Amino acid sequence: MTPLRIDFVSDVVCPWCAIGLASLEQALQRLQGEVAAEVHFQPFELNPHMPAAGEGIGEHLQRKYGLSEAQLAENQERIRQRGAELGFVFDMDARSRIVNTFDAHRLLHWAGGEGRQAALKRALLRAYFTEGRNVSDRDVLVDIATGVGLDAERAQGILASDEFAAEVREAEQFFLRNGITGVPAVIIERKHLVSGGQPVEVFERALRRIAAAKREGVEPR
């Protein structure tokens, strides 16, 4: 099998990130036996200055992107359908607010050293988009973390301090400096970028092409 490093740059309140992750994971399932992927989840905040109380989703999206109510409804239905095709449930009625995600990214950074980062990432996306939970609330975050096998006391300690804040900010700035302005951004072998919530087939083709080139010691075409 060909080893590949994948950096998945994303936010936990980004619907296209949930779609992109589901697509990527299904592409990797298709490549079992061919590719050994090491996936690292990297932080990106769509709204780094969002207050703790958050903001209503409709109000936020209409202000940020200039969407009408009809356009917003159409966009949400498109997201719901894409999720359903991939087995990911978007419950548009379960959540009403966009929230700050910095603490969630701090926990994800910690989880990376505990071997539970992918599980926590999936749980956070599901908690927000499917269950409508507030992923900026620290009690909720501890509950989600323990649900994937992480230590509750350690999670509480991280959230009560500024532990891993510098590391998260440094990673965010690194990707911003290197041209990542939207997510999901899927970076393969630190140099090949696949942007957006692409279909499974797009990820599969890219991974297969890059893996073949790596085996042959050439640049992918």
Side-chain angles (χ1 to χ4, degrees):
M1 288 195 294
T2 305
L4 291 179
R5 178 189 171 103
I6 300 174
D7 288 284
F8 192 90
V9 187
S10 63
D11 201 354
V12 299
V13 293
C14 162
W16 291 104
C17 296
I19 288 168
L21 179 57
S23 287
L24 173 64
E25 291 186 330
Q26 290 186 25
L28 289 171
Q29 288 174 3
R30 294 183 182 183
L31 293 170
Q32 282 185 350
E34 298 178 51
V35 167
E38 181 184 279
V39 182
H40 300 264
F41 291 94
Q42 304 290 358
F44 189 99
E45 291 176 88
L46 289 172
N47 303 287
H49 304 298
M50 180 66 66
E55 185 178 11
I57 289 175
E59 173 192 354
H60 174 80
L61 293 177
Q62 288 172 351
R63 176 180 56 78
K64 187 172 183 178
Y65 300 110
L67 298 177
S68 67
E69 287 190 15
Q71 288 171 323
L72 178 60
E74 181 182 341
N75 187 50
Q76 288 187 328
E77 177 58 19
R78 184 165 62 250
I79 288 168
R80 189 197 64 76
Q81 289 180 0
R82 282 292 304 279
E85 291 167 4
L86 294 162
F88 187 91
V89 177
F90 286 97
D91 186 341
M92 298 303 181
D93 297 322
R95 57 194 172 89
S96 61
R97 302 188 74 75
I98 297 281
V99 298
N100 188 286
T101 57
F102 188 69
D103 281 343
H105 286 300
R106 291 200 294 133
L107 285 189
L108 281 164
H109 182 90
W110 162 57
E114 302 293 318
R116 305 301 297 163
Q117 193 179 46
L120 181 59
K121 181 70 170 187
R122 294 187 204 102
L124 286 164
L125 291 168
R126 186 170 59 251
Y128 182 67
F129 288 110
T130 305
E131 301 165 2
R133 302 182 76 183
N134 180 356
V135 294
S136 69
D137 182 282
R138 291 181 174 180
D139 290 336
V140 171
L141 287 172
V142 170
D143 186 57
I144 295 169
T146 56
V148 299
L150 290 162
D151 182 75
E153 187 175 344
R154 182 76 176 97
Q156 289 168 341
I158 292 167
L159 294 171
S161 69
D162 63 354
E163 193 171 359
F164 302 125
E167 289 86 344
V168 169
R169 291 193 179 100
E170 182 180 351
E172 288 178 332
Q173 290 304 310
F174 172 82
F175 289 105
L176 286 170
R177 286 196 306 271
N178 283 276
I180 302 301
T181 57
V183 288
V186 183
I187 305 166
I188 306 167
E189 290 290 284
R190 299 184 187 269
K191 56 183 176 180
H192 307 290
L193 174 65
V194 181
S195 296
Q198 298 292 342
V200 177
E201 292 75 17
V202 172
F203 284 116
E204 182 184 1
R205 284 196 299 270
L207 291 164
R208 183 166 276 125
R209 185 177 69 250
I210 293 165
K214 186 175 182 179
R215 286 193 297 270
E216 296 166 9
V218 298
E219 284 297 311
R221 290 178 291 182

